[in-house]
Amino acid sequence: MSMNDIIYVYIAYTIIFLGIAAYIFYLHTKQTKLTQDVELLEELVKSHGKRKRKPKK
Amino acid sequence: MLKITATTRIGIMVLSIILIFFALYMAFIYAPSVDDVGWSAPKAQRIFYFHVASAWVSYLAFGVVFVASILYLKTNTRKWDMVALSSAEIGVLFCTLAIVTGPIWAKAEWGDYWRWEDVKLFMTLVLWLIFLAYLALRSGTADSEQAGRLAAVFGILGFFCVPLSFAANRIWAQFHPTVVASDQGSIQPMMTHALIVAVIAFSVFYVYLLIMRFELEQLNHKIEDLKESVGGDEYE
């Protein structure tokens, strides 16, 4: 019985650390995507600004 | 808006990692084992340290949601809405960890994963569901300002489950044990030290996660502002 107890401890701590790792992975993935979106939008804003400055024919 | 330097962020991350490893040492090596007499699964008792630390941090996170929500409604400053949302998400994470690890220990020690008649267990589950609904509310509403205000009210009301969840086993002694000194007997001092270290470690880690999550919200809002500059229909 006492050897089986330790399995519960391993399961509980594994769940804790897997849960935390999964959340950190989610944050990192989302940050990468959002940073790419920001860069893309900043490029669009720059090109939008350049188009506005072009003289009309 | 809040600006945390990379050095500060890395410093908090490193500190929290060190503290978590120290907490593991305290939980598994420093803290003594409980006596075999009176415990069905004495080794499983070591789940207690990180289980309680998870629960405490969820209370802390929901407390931050409560304060930030009040400040948002009072000042209408977007920063507080972002803090509330970030903290709510982390609070749900730690509440989930507490709700999952508690029954694992309960099964080992008492043979039951859950007892619905226990007020503390029930109130903690209600607390978790309330803040899950808070997150669902934030993701579902298109108008972010309206969502923020509705969620702020939700966050303020939902917080009242925290003291109920915390105090329930002190008022109605049932299935879930009382952690600190009680008529049933207090925990040994070395176990208290290990518990305190675990709580501090997770609290510092919560601060790190809050910074990370808040920075994501800042990026989200930057994207909204940039979309307005470009004109939303030009960006798909």
Side-chain angles (χ1 to χ4, degrees), chain B residues 140-198:
Chain B
T141 313
D143 182 339
S144 67
E145 205 178 310
Q146 183 196 29
R149 300 193 81 76
L150 273 172
V153 173
F154 214 76
I156 291 165
L157 295 175
F159 175 74
F160 288 104
C161 286
V162 168
L164 280 173
S165 167
F166 172 74
N169 58 333
R170 286 162 176 78
I171 301 167
W172 303 280
Q174 289 171 315
F175 181 51
H176 192 288
T178 308
V179 174
V180 196
S182 69
D183 294 338
Q184 297 140 13
S186 48
I187 64 172
Q188 297 175 45
M190 289 170 82
M191 292 180 178
T192 306
H193 303 157
L195 177 62
I196 289 169
V197 169

Side-chain angles (χ1 to χ4, degrees), chain B residues 1-80:
Chain B
M1 285 293 180
L2 180 72
K3 281 202 180 289
I4 303 278
T5 63
T7 312
T8 306
R9 197 186 320 115
I10 291 167
I12 294 173
M13 180 188 76
V14 169
L15 178 63
S16 59
I17 290 171
I18 291 170
L19 284 171
I20 286 172
F21 274 105
F22 185 47
L24 281 169
Y25 161 78
M26 296 288 278
F28 283 93
I29 303 193
Y30 174 85
S33 300
V34 291
D35 296 330
D36 286 358
V37 175
W39 291 86
S40 308
K43 286 187 169 59
Q45 181 272 337
R46 294 191 190 269
I47 294 172
F48 158 79
Y49 303 103
F50 278 45
H51 163 71
V52 172
S54 299
W56 271 105
V57 169
S58 72
Y59 292 161
L60 168 67
F62 297 144
V64 168
V65 174
F66 176 71
V67 171
S69 297
I70 290 173
L71 288 170
Y72 176 60
L73 290 176
K74 195 177 168 195
T75 64
N76 207 30
T77 310
R78 202 158 66 172
K79 167 179 79 174
W80 294 118

Side-chain angles (χ1 to χ4, degrees), chain A residues 1-9, chain B residues 33-47 104-112 115 175:
Chain A
M1 183 62 181
S2 115
M3 280 308 292
N4 286 341
D5 300 350
I6 210 80
I7 290 171
Y8 290 103
V9 179
Chain B
S33 300
V34 291
D35 296 330
D36 286 358
V37 175
W39 291 86
S40 308
K43 286 187 169 59
Q45 181 272 337
R46 294 191 190 269
I47 294 172
I104 292 173
W105 183 22
K107 178 64 179 170
E109 183 61 30
W110 297 292
D112 278 335
R115 287 193 190 162
F175 181 51

Side-chain angles (χ1 to χ4, degrees), chain A residues 2 5-6 8-9 11-13 15-17 20 23-24 26-27 31 34 37-38 40-42 44-45 48, chain B residues 28 41-44 46-47 50 89-90 93 100-101 104 108 205 213 216 220 222-223 226 230 234-235:
Chain A
S2 115
D5 300 350
I6 210 80
Y8 290 103
V9 179
I11 290 171
Y13 278 81
I15 287 171
I16 287 172
F17 285 105
I20 288 170
Y23 186 63
I24 290 174
Y26 156 76
L27 288 179
Q31 186 180 40
L34 289 177
D37 289 349
V38 165
L40 176 65
L41 280 167
E42 280 173 342
L44 278 170
V45 167
H48 195 70
Chain B
F28 283 93
K43 286 187 169 59
R46 294 191 190 269
I47 294 172
F50 278 45
E89 195 172 279
I90 299 164
L93 167 70
V100 169
T101 54
I104 292 173
F205 188 56
R213 185 61 184 84
L216 279 190
N220 267 327
K222 192 170 183 179
I223 286 171
L226 284 169
V230 171
E234 286 187 42
Y235 175 71

